Amino acid sequence: MVAGLFISFEGIDGSGKSTQARRLAEALRAAGRDVVLTREPGGSPGAEEIRALVLNGDPDRWSAETEILLFTAARRDHLERTIAPALERGAVVICDRFADSTRMYQGLSRGDLRETVDKLHALMIGREPDITMLIDMDPAEGLSRALGRQGADTRFEGFGQDLQDRMRAGFLELAATEPRFRVVAGAGSEDEVFARLTKALPELAEALA
Ligand code: ADP
Ligand code: TYD
C-alpha cells in the first residue's frame, strides 16, 4: 500500500485556514502531487447533507451532545468515502478542519464535553491527521480582517470575543500536548503566512521549493 499524507488545518473562524489550505493544495498540485482538498463539516455527499443540518437554522436547534453525534456522523462518512480512499492511493489529503474542531467547538463551548468527544472519536473515527497546521490568530484581528471584506462578517454572528478567546487558548493547549501539531502565526499578508507554513512542512520541502 502506498502511504498518503493527511494534513488538517485548524484555528478559529477567520484565521485564514481555507485560504492557506487552498494555497498549499495549489502549490503541491503544481509540483505534480495528487492532492485532495476537502473540508469539514462536509467533504462527501452525505456529510454535506449533515453540514446543512448543523450549520443552518436556530443556534439552539441541537443540544451540544446531538451536535457531537452529527459532526461525528459527518466525519465518519467523509473518512469512509473521501479521505481513506485518497490516502490509500497515496494522495495528500488537505482537510479544512477535522476532529480538533469538535474537541474545541462542541467540547468547550457549552460545558465541558471534551471526554464525550474523545470517546466517540475513539469508537467511530479512530484516526488523527498525520500533521495538523494550527493557524494561530488574535480573534480581534481575525474579526476586523473579515469585517474589512464585504459580506464576510455573517459567520461571526453569535460568536462572541470571549468564546473565540477560549477556542484560541484551547487550540494552543492541544497543540502543546500533541506532536502532530505545527503552530503557524496567522498575522501578516497571505504570502507571509504561506512562507511560514511551508517552512513548517519540511517533509514537503522538495515539492514546495
Ligand atoms: P477561515 O477559513 O479560517 O475562516 P479564510 O481563509 O476564509 O479563514 O479567511 C477569512 C477572510 O480573511 C477571507 O475574507 C480571506 O480572504 C481573508 N484573509 C485570509 N488570509 C488573509 C491575510 N493573510 N491577510 C488578510 N486577509 C486575509
Ligand atoms: P465554515 O463556514 O466552514 O467556517 P470556517 O471558514 O471558519 O471554517 O463553518 C464551519 C463552522 O462549523 C465553524 O464555525 C466551526 C464549526 N464546526 C464545529 O462547531 N464543529 C466541528 O466539528 C467542525 C468541523 C466545525
Side-chain angles (χ1 to χ4, degrees):
M1 196 183 85
V2 263
L5 187 66
F6 182 14
I7 305 174
S8 67
F9 277 75
E10 296 283 359
I12 58 171
D13 297 275
S15 53
K17 294 178 301 299
S18 312
T19 304
Q20 295 298 329
R22 195 170 51 240
R23 286 193 62 152
L24 181 61
E26 281 164 8
L28 292 173
R29 277 183 192 136
R33 300 290 292 256
D34 178 5
V35 177
V36 172
L37 176 62
T38 186
R39 64 150 181 200
E40 291 209 346
S44 62
E48 290 290 332
E49 287 187 41
I50 299 174
R51 178 186 176 93
L53 284 175
V54 282
L55 296 188
N56 298 335
D58 190 326
D60 291 326
R61 184 177 183 187
W62 311 108
S63 71
E65 287 82 356
T66 310
E67 264 185 25
I68 294 171
L69 289 164
L70 288 168
F71 278 110
T72 307
R75 183 161 303 125
R76 174 78 200 199
D77 192 65
H78 185 208
L79 187 64
E80 284 177 7
R81 315 273 171 133
T82 304
I83 298 174
L87 291 174
E88 271 161 33
R89 69 164 196 263
V92 179
V93 174
I94 300 173
C95 191
D96 190 349
R97 295 191 181 280
F98 194 65
D100 299 316
S101 282
T102 316
R103 292 186 172 102
M104 293 303 113
Y105 286 78
Q106 282 64 49
L108 299 182
S109 64
R110 289 190 277 174
D112 183 6
L113 290 171
R114 270 301 305 279
E115 208 185 316
T116 307
V117 174
D118 284 334
K119 280 185 175 165
L120 193 63
H121 180 81
L123 186 67
M124 282 297 152
I125 308 297
R127 174 79 159 94
E128 300 295 351
D130 300 310
I131 299 171
T132 298
M133 307 302 310
L134 174 60
I135 312 282
D136 180 51
M137 166 121 251
D138 171 19
E141 218 173 304
L143 180 60
S144 73
R145 182 188 275 180
L147 290 175
R149 306 255 171 156
Q150 212 185 353
D153 56 331
T154 47
R155 81 179 91 177
F156 289 94
E157 282 171 14
F159 278 108
Q161 167 91 30
D162 179 54
L163 183 59
Q164 296 281 359
D165 282 338
R166 279 169 48 217
M167 297 290 128
R168 181 195 195 188
F171 273 125
L172 286 171
E173 239 170 75
L174 195 59
T177 58
E178 297 274 339
R180 68 185 154 87
F181 273 89
R182 318 266 166 96
V183 183
V184 169
S189 71
E190 283 182 25
D191 285 350
E192 283 167 340
V193 180
F194 190 65
R196 280 180 212 131
L197 186 110
T198 53
K199 231 176 163 180
L201 285 168
E203 47 280 271
L204 294 172
E206 217 171 294
L208 295 172

